[in-house]
Amino acid sequence: MNSSTTTAADASHPVRNAVTPALLLGVLGIVYGDIGTSPLYALSTCLTFFGRAGMTDTTVLGTLSMIFWALIITVTIKYVTFVMRADNNGEGGILTMMVLAQRVCRRPKVAATVVLIAITGACLFFGDGMITPAISVLSAIEGLEVTSPLFKPAVLPLAVLVIGLLFSFQYRGTATIGRIFGPVMALWFLSIGVLGLVEIVHNPWVLRAISPSYVVFFAMNHGFVTFVTLGSVVLAVTGAEALYADMGHFGRKPIQRAWTFFVLPCLALNYFGQGALVLRDPSTLDNPFFLLCPPVLRVPMVILATAATVIASQAMISGAYSVARQCVQLGFIPRMIVRHTSETEEGQIYVPQVNTMLLVGVLVLVLAFRSSASLASAYGVAVTGTFTCTTILASLVYRRQFKWSRSAVFGVFGVFFVLDAVFFISNLLKVPDGGWVPIAVAIVLMATMTSWKRGRELMFQRWKQDSLPLNSFLARLPSSRIIRVPGTAVFLTGNGAYVPNALLHNLKHNKVLHERVFLVTVQTADVPEVGLHERLEVEELAPQVNRVTVKYGFKESPNIPRALEELRVLGVPFDTMQTSYFLGREVIVPALVPKLSFWRLWLFLVLSRNAVPATEFFRIPSDRVVELGVRIAI
């Protein structure tokens, strides 16, 4: 093993070595919302299968032991210890892992497989992003039923109201409400930890479940039911992927320390406390979490739980925005509107299309399943699928980039893969009862992404066939009689080696060329962010004709006018007020012999027609744009 892997993230971001209380509070508010609200439903879902008559010591202790060791193996060892060390300039997430894995792939087929695995994981993540707000908010508001059965009819309307308000305020950004996320989650973890500890004091023998031997006893007593129960145990580790995905916001050390010294102990105490309560009184099986509270504290706990679930939902929604933007930058989905909700934080964005799709999906799930217990059947497939994809990609990165031996990779990640696969297969048993929902979402999204990716590749191939090499054009330019008119023209092109179609059409119809010409190509680097000193590359091809390459990271949103203003710093004259932008509007039409299947071609055409215009995506002022239509047959 290579010891340098332990310091890769921190070496790139030395400031993140400082772990401050404010930073730890931020970690609690953003990273641990999802996994922190799992005690609301995880244990009760696992035990409900056995009923009150089946609440034996072996059943309860065995279930607790499986939950505890899932937290240790999946979260603490896999993600906190190993996966989080595979970073890209401090950034994490499954698409980041894809980029790292692609760098070390030597064969095109392996690289294509890596992309497919990453897309699968990203699509499952979106499915998870729909289920998390639905099950979290429902489970919190269902605590009112514990206070009084009279509240039962109000649970569903209140859940719809909370979810509607949550999504309706997304356009304002998380900067304002984000300030209270950390303290609220800190209070949440302290509260659930103390409630669990109080019950453990009354029945300390429940701590015997720390021994993995009780998992063996459980399996010996229940046989195949153990495999079925694992499908619900996964509910305790939902949100583990957030530790890796949000690493770029806080750095590795704060996330690790918050988990090891605060979040994990509080979660373990609460789970063991719930188990002790069920052992003492099997009638509490229906909702052991809220029944841990004294009656006088149940309403305040419902309010706190609702706040915690809103925070957990916000983390998933924000994560969906970030993943969507990364997919756009990496060419997996069409351009979308990305609005920045903060003047200082690049990562705080709002994507209206994603927000609307998530809102509709969450409301449909809430109204269709109507309870957190029913939704639990749909939960798990997406989570475990993403776990498995991450493990496969991480093993490749550790083998190639970190130079681990095959035996070391197999010994470490082989164990993780087996556990993830068992979790995933056990959750497939839930497919008839609702587990098909995230699978269906993932299939639709994968069809969309692969169709878009393939369609764009075919478009580029056809465009390349019909384009004129730039060198040939430049060679003829001095001897041509083209009239040069005052002003600056910017032509956007996807490939700097060819003449933009918009330039050729402008010459064909207007018979002129501007005094200053900039051929601009936007490239997405395989890093999250590109430094300002690396943003622009300028090459003078001919007198007053420059090729400009603008580079952005896959987590950044392009802004062409702002980037081109930096040309003056490089000594290249550029007057924003005298500049016109020429774009080619691509009109896609079916070829006589289409290279895409009928349904893929139809889907690609629909996506193309509804993609955000380049002017809006690149933030180009509409009053300075000239669009020239180009027909491309694929």
Side-chain angles (χ1 to χ4, degrees):
M1 299 183 187
N2 193 333
S3 61
S4 65
T5 62
T6 64
T7 59
D10 296 330
S12 300
H13 296 271
V15 175
R16 293 178 182 170
N17 286 319
V19 181
T20 63
L23 199 58
L24 291 174
L25 276 178
V27 168
L28 293 178
I30 301 299
V31 179
Y32 290 112
D34 190 3
I35 197 169
T37 52
S38 295
L40 284 164
Y41 48 81
L43 183 63
S44 60
T45 302
C46 293
L47 295 177
T48 301
F49 181 81
F50 300 96
R52 295 180 183 179
M55 290 302 99
T56 63
D57 286 5
T58 300
T59 300
V60 176
L61 294 178
T63 303
L64 284 174
S65 188
M66 283 189 283
I67 289 176
F68 177 76
W69 284 103
L71 292 170
I72 296 298
I73 297 174
T74 299
V75 184
T76 308
I77 300 178
K78 176 186 168 182
Y79 276 95
V80 173
T81 305
F82 289 103
V83 172
M84 289 182 66
R85 296 185 181 185
D87 72 291
N88 188 348
N89 291 338
E91 297 288 344
I94 192 163
L95 292 180
T96 293
M97 188 71 80
M98 177 199 74
V99 172
L100 293 175
Q102 279 186 306
R103 287 180 185 174
V104 297
C105 290
R106 299 171 184 172
R107 289 178 291 179
K109 289 185 178 180
V110 176
T113 303
V114 165
V115 172
L116 183 61
I117 293 172
I119 289 178
T120 302
C123 292
L124 289 171
F125 176 83
F126 280 113
D128 186 23
M130 288 174 50
I131 299 174
T132 295
I135 191 173
S136 298
V137 173
L138 268 175
S139 61
I141 297 178
E142 283 170 352
L144 290 172
E145 298 180 32
V146 177
T147 304
S148 172
L150 297 176
F151 285 112
K152 186 172 183 178
V155 169
L156 202 60
L158 282 175
V160 171
L161 176 63
V162 170
I163 290 169
L165 289 173
L166 173 64
F167 281 93
S168 66
F169 280 98
Q170 290 301 311
Y171 76 97
R172 295 177 176 268
T174 59
T176 303
I177 56 177
R179 297 189 185 100
I180 63 171
F181 278 11
V184 169
M185 290 308 298
L187 177 61
W188 167 259
F189 283 115
L190 282 173
S191 300
I192 66 175
V194 169
L195 289 173
L197 180 61
V198 170
E199 189 61 39
I200 291 172
V201 170
H202 291 102
N203 186 5
W205 292 105
V206 74
L207 294 178
R208 291 176 294 172
I210 293 176
S211 170
S213 61
Y214 281 90
V215 178
V216 178
F217 298 152
F218 185 96
M220 292 172 61
N221 279 272
H222 296 290
F224 181 75
V225 176
T226 306
F227 181 73
V228 178
T229 305
L230 284 172
S232 298
V233 170
V234 170
L235 298 175
V237 293
T238 57
E241 188 75 20
L243 277 69
Y244 182 50
D246 291 324
M247 188 168 63
H249 295 288
F250 304 100
R252 177 161 50 92
K253 287 186 178 180
I255 295 176
Q256 288 177 325
R257 292 185 183 180
W259 171 259
T260 304
F261 299 109
F262 187 65
V263 177
L264 176 60
C266 290
L267 288 176
L269 286 172
N270 189 262
Y271 281 121
F272 283 119
Q274 289 186 50
L277 178 64
V278 172
L279 284 175
R280 180 168 60 85
D281 183 4
S283 66
T284 61
L285 176 62
D286 293 337
N287 204 325
F289 178 85
F290 284 106
L291 291 173
L292 275 177
C293 303
V296 69
L297 294 179
R298 284 175 188 167
V299 172
M301 196 62 188
V302 170
I303 296 173
L304 179 59
T306 303
T309 54
V310 167
I311 292 171
S313 302
Q314 179 63 61
M316 290 301 300
I317 294 168
S318 300
Y321 295 159
S322 298
V323 172
R325 180 172 68 169
Q326 292 180 29
C327 287
V328 170
Q329 292 291 73
L330 293 170
F332 292 131
I333 56 177
R335 294 186 296 263
M336 290 185 172
I337 297 172
V338 178
R339 295 176 182 165
H340 291 260
T341 58
S342 172
E343 295 181 358
T344 58
E345 296 296 329
E346 171 70 20
Q348 292 187 13
I349 58 175
Y350 169 63
V351 185
Q353 295 97 321
V354 175
N355 189 71
T356 301
M357 288 187 288
L358 283 177
L359 172 60
V360 172
V362 172
L363 289 179
V364 167
L365 288 175
V366 168
L367 296 175
F369 287 88
R370 307 182 71 84
S371 71
S372 61
S374 300
L375 263 173
S377 298
Y379 217 7
V381 176
V383 176
T384 53
T386 306
F387 285 175
T388 306
C389 293
T390 300
T391 298
I392 295 171
L393 297 179
S395 64
L396 185 60
V397 171
Y398 268 78
R399 174 75 179 101
R400 299 292 187 182
Q401 182 172 327
F402 296 154
K403 308 302 181 182
W404 278 26
S405 64
R406 289 186 179 180
S407 57
V409 171
F410 182 80
V412 174
F413 290 95
V415 173
F416 296 148
F417 178 79
V418 169
L419 181 61
D420 292 339
V422 170
F423 277 145
F424 180 71
I425 296 171
S426 65
N427 273 278
L428 290 179
L429 299 175
K430 300 179 181 180
V431 169
D433 299 322
W436 58 269
V437 172
I439 295 177
V441 171
I443 290 174
V444 170
L445 290 176
M446 284 187 66
T448 301
M449 290 186 182
T450 54
S451 298
W452 179 256
K453 187 78 171 176
R454 179 57 180 158
R456 293 297 295 179
E457 290 173 352
L458 292 174
M459 269 186 59
F460 180 75
Q461 291 174 8
R462 184 56 188 265
W463 173 84
K464 192 174 179 180
Q465 292 173 3
D466 299 338
S467 295
L468 176 67
L470 184 59
N471 291 336
S472 300
F473 174 78
L474 293 174
R476 301 174 190 172
L477 189 60
S479 59
S480 67
R481 298 182 180 180
I482 298 174
I483 300 174
R484 305 293 288 264
V485 296
T488 301
V490 172
F491 296 90
L492 293 185
T493 175
N495 190 324
Y498 292 85
V499 181
N501 284 335
L503 191 153
L504 294 177
H505 280 259
N506 185 51
L507 285 175
K508 178 180 178 181
H509 296 289
N510 297 323
K511 316 298 184 185
V512 297
L513 192 65
H514 283 70
E515 182 183 13
R516 295 184 181 276
V517 176
F518 292 92
L519 309 179
V520 178
T521 301
V522 179
Q523 293 183 352
T524 301
D526 62 354
V527 294
E529 297 176 1
V530 172
L532 291 178
H533 63 286
E534 301 174 342
R535 180 79 68 203
L536 295 178
E537 291 182 4
V538 184
E539 179 184 0
E540 187 173 29
L541 305 174
Q544 306 300 326
V545 178
N546 293 276
R547 178 163 52 199
V548 181
T549 302
V550 187
K551 294 183 179 180
Y552 288 97
F554 59 77
K555 289 191 68 176
E556 296 180 289
S557 298
N559 188 324
I560 299 301
R562 181 183 297 175
L564 294 181
E565 287 177 359
E566 299 298 320
L567 286 171
R568 288 175 292 188
V569 178
L570 301 176
V572 180
F574 184 84
D575 186 354
T576 304
M577 301 306 296
Q578 299 295 321
T579 300
S580 298
Y581 295 85
F582 290 79
L583 304 177
R585 175 174 285 275
E586 299 155 342
V587 179
I588 313 301
V589 295
L592 293 176
V593 182
K595 295 183 179 181
L596 286 175
S597 61
F598 174 78
W599 70 270
R600 282 191 181 275
L601 179 60
W602 174 83
L603 182 57
F604 179 72
L605 292 175
V606 171
L607 293 172
S608 299
R609 290 166 187 156
N610 290 277
V612 171
T615 52
E616 189 168 357
F617 183 75
F618 292 117
R619 297 191 235 184
I620 301 172
S622 57
D623 58 348
R624 294 193 170 276
V625 173
V626 178
E627 290 190 333
L628 299 168
V630 179
R631 289 172 64 88
I632 300 178
I634 61 172

